[in-house]
Amino acid sequence: MRRNLLLVLCLIGVLSANAQQSEAEKLIPKDTIGPWYTNGTASLLFNQSTFDNWVAGGENNISGTLGINYDFNYKKEDWTWDNKVIASYGIVKTRNSSFAKKTDDRFELNSILGKKATERWSYSFLMNFRTQFTKGYNYGKDEFGAEIREEYTNLMSPGYLMLGPGMLYKRDDNFYINLSPATSKFTFVDSKYTLPDEAYFGVKEGESMRYELGFSAGMYYKLDVIANVTFENILGLYSNYLEDPQNVDINYQLNIVLRINRYLTTNLSFQTIYDDNAYQGLQVRQVFGVAANYGF
């Protein structure tokens, strides 16, 4: 079931990336006073379920997710500087669980500096940073059947930083591709978590950083598919020259917003990651719900 859902959502993302840009997208307001253009949304998804003598069964739960998607871009003469912050944090508490558990936890900053070379191509320098806010746990049960947990991740464990020069193709603020053939990638961890055989995010036991040099490609595409329905696609690819270059890291995000009115939207956030240093397989995250939004 999960594999089928993954294929459907990836197909939706590919189809959206080939759809024509709508007139509404072309009319996004620009800052006519200065070189900076900013745009952001804060959203809160909330869910609560209660069951009392419910024959069909069910478990009381309460959950919420707070998210921020913020752009601050600069454009003056031949220079552009595009920045995007994506942050979200969510928890769920069920009656039969001893712990409140995370449903989402991430912070990501994407930044690309460009100096125009031709009408649509620019010399570029990228920076990407990713981490989480709070501790992550592996859950299990003790000999008496009680739920237990073991700390596994934390803020900056892991933390990822990518830096590198390249070339940027930019049609407009809603579609660009960046290619960086000499990208440095740093993976930071707390050395107390590391394991033998580089089993903890590829970092050697007792160390706190892993360095990679490779090729990275990034794509951003945002459009209105139909009225009040926005698709945002973010794709990142990375190949490490120094070790197993055939194992390409993939990070794909699809954010769908169905606008109900000024303050309410239906949000679908889907993300899949392949990074064999972190996990031997696909990582999948999806969050769906009705959100209260505030634009700034």
Side-chain angles (χ1 to χ4, degrees):
M1 180 66 182
R2 173 174 289 183
R3 180 175 297 177
N4 292 338
L5 180 59
L6 170 62
L7 292 174
V8 170
L9 288 173
C10 286
L11 179 60
I12 291 174
V14 171
L15 291 175
S16 72
N18 287 283
Q20 292 184 346
Q21 184 184 31
S22 69
E23 290 299 319
E25 201 68 63
K26 295 178 182 178
L27 297 176
I28 293 177
K30 302 296 180 182
D31 187 346
T32 58
I33 299 175
W36 286 97
Y37 168 67
T38 62
N39 182 47
T41 302
S43 62
L44 175 63
L45 282 75
F46 178 78
N47 179 70
Q48 186 265 337
S49 299
T50 301
F51 302 89
D52 188 11
N53 301 321
W54 194 252
V55 176
E59 185 174 0
N60 294 357
N61 68 83
I62 183 171
S63 65
T65 301
L66 177 64
I68 294 175
N69 191 325
Y70 183 66
D71 298 298
F72 53 106
N73 301 332
Y74 175 92
K75 183 177 181 180
K76 187 173 182 180
E77 298 176 350
D78 291 342
W79 289 94
T80 61
W81 186 20
D82 298 321
N83 304 276
K84 174 178 282 290
V85 173
I86 299 175
S88 56
Y89 189 79
I91 56 173
V92 61
K93 182 66 174 73
T94 60
R95 181 177 60 184
N96 295 327
S97 176
S98 303
F99 309 102
K101 298 178 180 179
K102 293 190 292 187
T103 58
D104 203 356
D105 184 6
R106 63 173 178 149
F107 175 85
E108 182 169 353
L109 170 63
N110 291 288
S111 182
I112 301 178
L113 178 67
K115 174 69 167 64
K116 182 173 287 189
T118 65
E119 182 180 355
R120 291 190 173 180
W121 284 95
S122 299
Y123 306 108
S124 67
F125 190 87
L126 80 87
M127 190 277 287
N128 172 269
F129 173 73
R130 292 184 290 130
T131 189
Q132 62 193 61
F133 291 104
T134 61
K135 296 177 180 179
Y137 299 91
N138 288 325
Y139 292 89
K141 293 187 180 295
D142 64 15
E143 57 186 288
F144 304 105
E147 187 176 32
I148 59 175
R149 64 183 184 181
E150 179 184 8
E151 186 177 324
Y152 184 68
T153 59
N154 203 344
L155 176 68
M156 288 301 294
S157 187
Y160 300 98
L161 176 65
M162 295 174 61
L163 302 165
M167 294 295 295
L168 170 69
Y169 173 83
K170 185 174 183 181
R171 187 188 67 192
D172 51 42
D173 287 341
N174 298 307
F175 178 75
Y176 55 82
I177 298 173
N178 189 75
L179 305 175
S180 298
T183 301
S184 293
K185 179 180 178 182
F186 303 87
T187 302
F188 304 99
V189 301
D190 188 329
S191 58
K192 72 179 182 181
Y193 295 130
T194 53
L195 299 168
D197 302 321
E198 301 180 3
Y200 188 78
F201 300 100
V203 181
K204 293 181 179 179
E205 187 174 13
E207 297 188 5
S208 59
M209 188 190 77
R210 172 186 172 90
Y211 175 75
E212 301 174 45
L213 177 66
F215 178 89
S216 70
M219 184 272 287
Y220 178 83
Y221 191 50
K222 180 180 178 182
L223 74 161
D224 289 339
V225 179
I226 57 176
N228 297 322
V229 180
T230 301
F231 278 47
E232 182 181 54
N233 299 271
I234 306 172
L235 174 65
L237 305 173
Y238 185 78
S239 173
N240 178 18
Y241 297 142
L242 306 179
E243 181 181 325
D244 299 325
Q246 73 279 4
N247 294 346
V248 179
D249 295 346
I250 302 171
N251 187 342
Y252 173 68
Q253 301 178 52
L254 171 63
N255 300 311
I256 303 176
V257 177
L258 295 79
R259 187 166 299 281
I260 301 171
N261 57 38
R262 182 178 179 183
Y263 298 106
L264 293 176
T265 60
T266 299
N267 292 8
L268 171 62
S269 178
F270 170 81
Q271 184 176 15
T272 183
I273 294 175
Y274 177 79
D275 182 349
D276 60 341
N277 292 315
Y279 176 73
Q280 297 291 324
L282 282 175
Q283 303 175 59
V284 177
R285 180 188 65 84
Q286 55 192 22
V287 179
F288 177 76
V290 176
N293 297 275
Y294 175 76
F296 57 95

